[in-house]
Amino acid sequence: KAGVTQTPRYLIKTRGQQVTLSCSPISGHRSVSWYQQTPGQGLQFLFEYFSETQRNKGNFPGRFSGRQFSNSRSEMNVSTLELGDSALYLCASSLEIAGGGSYGYTFGSGTRLTVV
Amino acid sequence: LAKTTQPISMDSYEGQEVNITCSHNNIATNDYITWYQQFPSQGPRFIIQGYKTKVTNEVASLFIPADRKSSTLSLPRVSLSDTAVYYCLVGDRDRDDKIIFGKGTRLHILP
C-alpha cells in the first residue's frame, strides 16, 4: 500500500513569505503528526491532528499552523518565514487502535524547506 | 513519555552484531518500547516494538529484562547501509498522543 506522501519534496522561500506543506497519510490512518527537524534541535513535535481536530500542539509560535481535512490529508502553514525556519518538515500517520498503546507511526520523506 | 538515555554515537564493522542499549528507569506499567531508524534527509522508520522479554523481526531483535528499566536493540551482521541514527522511545500511546524524540544514537558502520 502507498506510504505517507509529502509534497513538495523541496522548497525555497524568501524571508517574510508564507508556505503551505501537504501530507497524505496512509489510507485508513486518521492521526497525522508534524515534526520539524534541524541539525541543532533534532526532531521537534509541531502538532497532531485526529479526525480534523488538533489534539496536541508543540512549543512553536503561532506562525505555525495546520489543519486536517475529512479525508485525513493534512496541511501545515508557516507564515512570515524566518531564516531559522529552514528545516526538514516531517509528517507521520498512524492507525489508532484503542488500548493498543503502540507508537507505530509511519513517516513520510519530508519537505526540505530553505528560507533565504 | 518516560525519559530515555542512549549512547550518542557508536562505531562498528560490517558483519558484526551491534547492540544499542537504552535506559528508561521510570518506565510505567503500560509503556511500550519502540525503536526507530533514520537515514539522512529521510523520515524515521519504525524498526521494532516490545513490552517485555524478547521480540524479533526480520530486521532486529529487542531484548527487555524483567524489570523493564532498560532495553537493547540488536542488529545482526550489520552492513554499511545500517549507518543511521537510532531512536529509543518509551511511552503509552493511549496516554501520550505525541512522540518526543531524544537525540538518538548515531551508528557508524565501517568497512
Side-chain angles (χ1 to χ4, degrees):
Chain A
K1 59 182 177 181
V4 176
T5 304
Q6 291 189 247
T7 56
R9 189 77 173 89
Y10 300 93
L11 206 49
I12 299 176
K13 288 287 188 178
T14 305
R15 271 184 303 173
Q17 287 186 312
Q18 75 163 14
V19 66
T20 299
L21 312 181
S22 178
C23 171
S24 294
I26 289 175
S27 178
H29 286 195
R30 292 193 294 165
S31 169
V32 174
S33 300
W34 287 89
Y35 289 80
Q36 180 196 64
Q37 185 170 33
T38 60
Q41 298 298 318
L43 274 158
Q44 292 189 285
F45 173 78
L46 280 157
F47 27 66
E48 186 206 9
Y49 286 86
F50 181 80
S51 292
E52 302 179 64
T53 300
Q54 186 181 88
R55 195 161 61 172
N56 269 296
K57 190 177 191 305
N59 190 27
F60 278 81
R63 300 185 297 107
F64 292 81
S65 63
R67 59 177 175 169
Q68 186 180 33
F69 302 95
S70 58
N71 62 356
S72 294
R73 190 177 71 85
S74 178
E75 289 180 348
M76 69 162 281
N77 184 278
V78 187
S79 63
T80 319
L81 284 166
E82 301 176 359
L83 295 179
D85 296 332
S86 294
L88 180 66
Y89 290 87
L90 292 160
C91 162
S93 76
S94 69
L95 176 64
E96 290 215 349
I97 301 174
S102 169
Y103 279 118
Y105 287 77
T106 302
F107 281 80
S109 296
T111 294
R112 171 75 62 185
L113 172 65
T114 301
V115 182
V116 297
Chain B
L1 286 170
K3 178 176 167 55
T4 59
T5 302
Q6 41 181 137
I8 293 174
S9 65
M10 293 179 64
D11 289 340
S12 188
Y13 292 92
E14 278 191 296
Q16 299 291 307
E17 177 185 79
V18 172
N19 296 311
I20 306 175
T21 297
C22 180
S23 297
H24 29 81
N25 291 321
N26 58 339
I27 188 170
T29 302
N30 294 331
D31 285 349
Y32 279 76
I33 300 160
T34 310
W35 286 81
Y36 281 82
Q37 173 193 56
Q38 186 180 25
F39 299 113
S41 297
Q42 293 187 26
R45 181 177 74 107
F46 174 92
I47 301 176
I48 197 166
Q49 179 179 263
Y51 182 79
K52 61 180 179 181
T53 62
K54 176 184 174 183
V55 179
T56 297
N57 61 23
E58 64 279 6
V59 177
S61 294
L62 179 59
F63 298 92
I64 305 168
D67 66 5
R68 305 202 325 126
K69 293 184 182 301
S70 67
S71 58
T72 299
L73 174 72
S74 181
L75 305 172
R77 297 180 299 282
V78 294
S79 64
L80 295 177
S81 62
D82 292 315
T83 294
V85 178
Y86 293 81
Y87 297 95
C88 165
L89 306 171
V90 175
D92 175 7
R93 174 62 191 275
D94 292 330
R95 184 190 66 229
D96 310 306
D97 290 329
K98 56 182 182 287
I99 305 178
I100 303 297
F101 284 84
K103 297 297 184 184
T105 297
R106 190 170 298 275
L107 176 64
H108 187 204
I109 304 302
L110 303 166

